[in-house]
Amino acid sequence: MTAKIPATIITGFLGVGKTTLIRHLIEHADGRRIALIVNEFGDLGVDGEILKGCGIEGCGDDEVVELSNGCICCAVADDFLPAIEAILARDPQPDHIVIETSGLALPQPLVRAFNWPDVRTQVTVDGVVTVVDGLAVSEGRFAADEAAVDRQRAADANLSHETPLSELFADQIACADLILVNKTDLLGAEAARALTDRLTAEARAGVRVMASAHGVVAPAVLLGLTRAAEADLDARRAHHHHHDDTGAGDDHHGDHDHDAFESFVVAAPEADGAAALSDRVQAAIADHGLLRVKGFAAVRGKPLRLVVQAVGPRVTSHFDRPFGADEPRETRLVVIAQAGVDRAGVAAALGAVAA
């Protein structure tokens, strides 16, 4: 059986130094073929030496591009799973996958995504690395510019604007396998030691807390933690649970039981419109706690078929090609959900007509 590809998740608030850390990692890959998934290519700076000449400016949001050192980079604006699938489809496959989160996207749901049937047989979460701003945290703040973090949160329609930063920070610490206290060059040795001791006490048992400066951390420290984080989600919960909106929080065994998921196909007639179908999918996800919906739809009056993708609350769609002469003009959506979901209710919500 082929070994699973290890994936490292790097999280932390805006301005803590995630990008600098990742750039250093890519620049010192030493022949290791690393696949990097970022929110936007712009986060890494297209003028950086490591990215010169790879044509990033002309790429679409879902493109995978070769970097000059043999690594590959993927920008994912909306949907994590297609990015993983695009990377896994490459030959040769990467040696390691590194995922940079926005810092506001909680790490736990992303880790849970690695239990999804499309991914779990091929990839494992090597570890979650949480980067914190040492100077800010030692002064009682969570980021150098908390107002900028709040603006980032306000601009994202998928985030709760009421959740205090203290709870988001607690989630990042609770999920971490390695905590990097960055910018310790701005602290005295005593203050840096006191902060690392405090975070060690707050983190789960056995989690390493390390001081760093300017994102200079050896790849051997960041990669190869072999924690299989997707298999112990129960241990990665902060004391508050209201962020977990997938329904998995109701079944503590469901997070790590691979049999706790089911997949089925819903067939429905032509949709009235692309927006109307997206609204239906979004409502079905919210009402039934669905993990993923993907497939193709026929839209009344449109010759092209509609590709539909949904993970979590966000639904994306685009028209890709005409229906073939022998293809029925119907909607077929694959649903991935927790075991025991009300299949008939989901089918009705997605527009299926009872036989």
Side-chain angles (χ1 to χ4, degrees):
M1 185 174 170
T2 307
K4 294 183 182 182
I5 299 170
T8 297
I9 297 170
I10 298 179
T11 189
F13 288 137
L14 183 72
V16 296
K18 299 192 301 294
T19 298
T20 308
L21 177 75
I22 290 170
R23 288 180 67 92
H24 182 268
L25 176 64
I26 295 295
E27 288 166 353
H28 295 84
D30 295 328
R32 187 189 278 110
R33 187 173 166 83
I34 295 175
L36 171 63
I37 299 178
V38 296
N39 291 325
E40 296 175 354
F41 285 129
D43 290 348
L44 291 178
V46 294
D47 56 345
E49 285 300 317
I50 195 68
L51 300 182
K52 275 188 178 171
C54 65
I56 280 177
E57 289 98 327
C59 289
D61 283 341
D62 297 322
E63 295 272 356
V64 179
V65 299
E66 298 280 353
L67 302 186
S68 54
N69 64 346
C71 295
I72 55 182
C73 186
C74 178
V76 51
D78 296 322
D79 201 342
F80 159 73
L81 281 179
I84 283 282
E85 289 165 354
I87 284 171
L88 293 177
R90 294 177 70 85
D91 185 14
Q93 287 188 323
D95 301 312
H96 203 106
I97 299 171
V98 174
I99 303 158
E100 179 196 15
T101 76
S102 72
L104 295 175
L106 299 177
Q108 287 87 341
L110 180 56
V111 175
R112 185 177 297 113
F114 284 86
N115 276 321
W116 291 343
D118 290 356
V119 175
R120 71 180 186 226
T121 58
Q122 300 183 73
V123 187
T124 182
V125 181
D126 184 62
V128 177
V129 177
T130 296
V131 187
V132 305
D133 185 321
L135 180 62
V137 174
S138 69
E139 293 176 348
R141 293 171 292 119
F142 298 104
D145 188 345
E146 288 186 340
V149 174
D150 273 326
R151 285 194 297 273
Q152 183 191 18
R153 176 166 49 179
D156 192 325
N158 293 311
L159 294 168
S160 164
H161 301 160
E162 288 74 44
T163 308
L165 292 184
S166 59
E167 291 191 6
L168 295 176
F169 185 79
D171 278 316
Q172 292 177 4
I173 298 301
C175 199
D177 295 296
L178 171 65
I179 299 171
L180 290 179
V181 185
N182 206 15
K183 306 184 185 180
T184 50
D185 53 314
L186 304 178
L187 292 172
E190 189 175 330
R193 193 160 44 246
L195 181 56
T196 55
D197 288 347
R198 181 191 126 196
L199 291 173
T200 300
E202 292 179 9
R204 291 174 298 118
V207 171
R208 295 176 66 190
V209 181
M210 293 180 49
S212 63
H214 307 295
V216 177
V217 180
V221 172
L222 292 176
L223 312 181
L225 300 179
T226 64
R227 294 299 174 88
E230 70 277 10
D232 71 343
L233 271 158
D234 285 346
R236 296 166 183 266
R237 297 174 182 274
H239 295 301
H240 49 93
H241 298 285
H242 60 268
H243 299 308
D244 187 350
D245 58 3
T246 65
D250 299 328
D251 174 8
H252 283 228
H253 299 291
D255 285 343
H256 53 79
D257 182 352
H258 289 175
D259 297 326
F261 302 95
E262 56 183 272
S263 176
F264 56 96
V265 176
V266 173
E270 286 187 324
D272 291 333
L277 180 61
S278 288
D279 289 345
R280 270 187 176 276
V281 171
Q282 205 156 30
I285 289 170
D287 293 344
H288 296 276
L290 306 181
L291 298 172
R292 184 173 184 192
V293 177
K294 61 178 180 177
F296 306 100
V299 176
R300 190 166 289 113
K302 302 286 186 182
L304 303 180
R305 74 176 185 177
L306 185 73
V307 180
V308 180
Q309 287 271 13
V311 176
R314 186 169 291 181
V315 181
T316 60
S317 63
H318 65 275
F319 290 101
D320 72 335
R321 64 164 176 79
F323 278 91
D326 56 347
E327 284 183 292
R329 284 187 57 86
E330 66 174 1
T331 297
R332 292 185 68 82
L333 300 173
V334 178
V335 176
I336 300 174
Q338 302 265 196
V341 68
D342 174 9
R343 290 194 181 197
V346 171
L350 292 176
V353 177

